[in-house]
Amino acid sequence: MAKMKTTSVHVRIKEDTKKQAEAILGELGISRAVAIEMFYRQIILNKGIPFEVAIPNASRSREELTKEEFDKMMKVAIKQVEEGQTTPVEEVFEELYQGVE
């Protein structure tokens, strides 16, 4: 059997992004190398990025969201609260109104 030729891919990403992604991959039982291989194969199969690359419209109102979109947004928000990824409202307003008078 012929030996498969391989190559290396070197990238630099934020440490937090790497940790979060690899934690999820670990739960799935998929190594980083396998995940990257899967991504590259999907690029080949799709002849492009295998998902939509777009800037989300952050100004959509509740009425403009489908039930599924709203539920997904709420699940993300709940997870952020549970993981302590929040900012006290006082700090938000302080930052918003800094220098405005």
Side-chain angles (χ1 to χ4, degrees):
M1 181 177 210
K3 191 173 182 179
M4 183 174 25
K5 190 173 180 179
T6 62
T7 190
S8 296
V9 176
H10 299 278
V11 297
R12 296 196 61 78
I13 61 172
K14 293 179 182 177
E15 183 178 359
D16 189 50
T17 301
K18 177 182 177 280
K19 284 181 180 178
Q20 289 180 45
E22 289 184 2
I24 294 167
L25 291 173
E27 288 180 36
L28 295 170
I30 299 172
S31 71
R32 174 184 24 192
V34 169
I36 292 169
E37 175 85 14
M38 291 167 62
F39 178 62
Y40 273 41
R41 289 180 180 272
Q42 285 297 310
I43 291 171
I44 294 165
L45 286 170
N46 288 279
K47 297 190 179 357
I49 303 295
F51 47 81
E52 181 181 7
V53 178
I55 299 171
N57 183 353
S59 63
R60 291 172 67 192
S61 69
R62 169 60 184 106
E63 292 76 27
E64 295 174 303
L65 298 172
T66 65
K67 179 182 181 338
E68 292 77 23
E69 290 171 324
F70 181 75
D71 289 348
K72 183 178 178 183
M73 188 186 322
M74 290 297 101
K75 285 180 184 176
V76 169
I78 291 168
K79 184 176 181 188
Q80 289 173 331
V81 169
E82 290 172 346
E83 294 177 357
Q85 299 174 354
T86 60
T87 304
V89 71
E90 296 82 10
E91 287 182 31
V92 173
F93 282 113
E94 185 176 304
E95 190 174 316
L96 284 172
Y97 293 110
Q98 197 169 37
V100 177
E101 288 186 36

